[in-house]
Amino acid sequence: MTLLVDYLSVFALIYLAMVVVYFTTGFTVLAINARHPERRIQKHRDGLKRQREEIRESMRALATSSALMSAGYFAQSQGWTPVAPLELSWWSFPLMFAVCFVLFDAWFYWGHRLLHLPALYKYHVPHHRSIAPTVWSNDSSTTVDTLIEHFFYFIVWFVLPVPALSVFALRLFDQVSGMIGHSGFEYFASKSSRFPSPLICTTFHDLHHSQFHYNYGNFFSFWDRICGTVHPKYDALVRSMEETGEIPDTEETKVKV
């Protein structure tokens, strides 16, 4: 019983932190977007019509994600994992953060591809009801969807000697960057977000929501480029934004698939 109470305390703290980050990021990004309507990517759709539903679904998804991460962390803290964590230091924190960063991006890509298979797409389709995603769309997912994409936050504690702070930092970055990536407004289009750079900007994931069959990656375009799933007009769109300073409506990129 004591162990259960201890675990529930860890879960509650992590879930509370995620909810605070969710709303702080959400309202901050909305305030910035309100001052820059010209940065909207899909100019003829208003995704905010679904924000109440998205927030409600996000509370459940954040609880699932927090349960996974808190279970892994609790197991490590109890000495139940087969590998002990590295002692937190100036080198172990950034090293394991970088390792987890790269591995999670691969996990997310292949989990995301899996969710687009016909047998599993019914668990992912609620997320795609947000054709024009908003800052609230990032966590608007079913339980199965969240389990597949975020199971990494449970398993990583058992296979890598991760200092807890490295995983917590990754989860924080993933949450904030994911919400910005779903915001529907572009501020980061540059040479660093198109080929040959592996980094991406908001337009990358926005195209996934408007086109469905492209751009499955999370932090990088690496796997999409290797597997041929990057949107064929993504790099040209980013280059156009660089050269003109304007955001073309992604309706112009519609193709039959």
Side-chain angles (χ1 to χ4, degrees):
M1 181 60 72
T2 301
L3 283 176
L4 177 60
V5 172
D6 290 344
Y7 166 71
L8 290 176
S9 298
V10 171
F11 164 74
L13 286 173
I14 290 176
Y15 181 51
L16 176 61
M18 287 296 95
V19 170
V20 169
V21 170
Y22 177 82
F23 283 109
T24 301
T25 304
F27 286 121
T28 300
V29 172
L30 282 181
I32 295 171
N33 290 347
R35 300 182 65 178
H36 298 281
E38 76 283 358
R39 310 308 296 178
R40 182 188 294 274
I41 298 170
Q42 297 187 47
K43 302 184 187 303
H44 306 296
R45 291 193 179 109
D46 182 10
L48 287 174
K49 293 178 180 178
R50 298 191 66 250
Q51 64 180 334
R52 288 190 178 183
E53 181 180 351
E54 290 181 334
I55 291 173
R56 185 170 60 252
E57 292 172 347
S58 295
M59 293 303 98
R60 292 195 296 267
L62 286 173
T64 301
S65 180
S66 297
L68 290 169
M69 188 163 68
S70 59
Y73 168 68
F74 189 72
Q76 186 193 74
S77 68
Q78 295 297 314
W80 298 341
T81 56
V83 289
L86 294 171
E87 183 178 350
L88 185 64
S89 68
W90 66 268
W91 64 268
S92 64
F93 167 72
L95 172 64
M96 296 314 299
F97 176 86
V99 170
C100 291
F101 192 88
V102 172
L103 290 178
F104 178 66
D105 185 72
W107 179 286
F108 186 93
Y109 176 85
W110 290 107
H112 197 176
R113 288 290 301 274
L114 190 67
L115 283 163
H116 275 257
L117 294 177
L120 292 175
Y121 190 63
K122 63 183 178 180
Y123 300 112
H124 188 56
V125 71
H127 182 70
H128 274 288
R129 290 185 184 130
S130 304
I131 298 174
T134 73
V135 69
W136 307 119
S137 304
N138 182 57
D139 301 284
S140 179
S141 306
T142 66
T143 299
V144 172
D145 189 331
T146 305
L147 284 171
I148 290 175
E149 291 186 343
H150 281 193
F151 195 71
F152 177 89
Y153 288 112
F154 172 76
I155 198 68
V156 66
W157 307 90
F158 292 85
V159 297
L160 291 176
V162 287
L165 190 60
S166 295
V167 182
F168 291 150
L170 174 68
R171 182 68 187 93
L172 176 62
F173 181 86
D174 179 34
Q175 184 65 39
V176 174
S177 65
M179 294 183 74
I180 293 172
H182 281 81
S183 66
F185 285 66
E186 185 58 81
Y187 301 99
F188 303 104
S190 67
K191 290 182 179 180
S192 66
S193 55
R194 61 176 171 83
F195 188 81
S197 170
L199 300 178
I200 59 177
C201 57
T202 304
T203 297
F204 186 85
H205 196 69
D206 199 278
L207 282 168
H208 177 72
H209 275 259
S210 64
Q211 307 288 302
F212 301 104
H213 301 294
Y214 299 100
N215 299 6
Y216 297 92
N218 190 36
F219 301 139
F220 302 124
S221 63
F222 176 76
W223 288 104
D224 281 291
R225 294 188 190 280
I226 287 179
C227 298
T229 54
V230 70
H231 191 284
K233 295 186 178 181
Y234 169 69
D235 292 313
L237 276 171
V238 175
R239 185 186 291 275
S240 173
M241 294 176 201
E242 290 176 52
E243 294 174 349
T244 66
E246 298 179 355
I247 311 297
D249 191 340
T250 53
E251 284 288 305
E252 298 171 5
T253 69
K254 288 266 183 171
V255 293
K256 293 182 180 180
V257 291

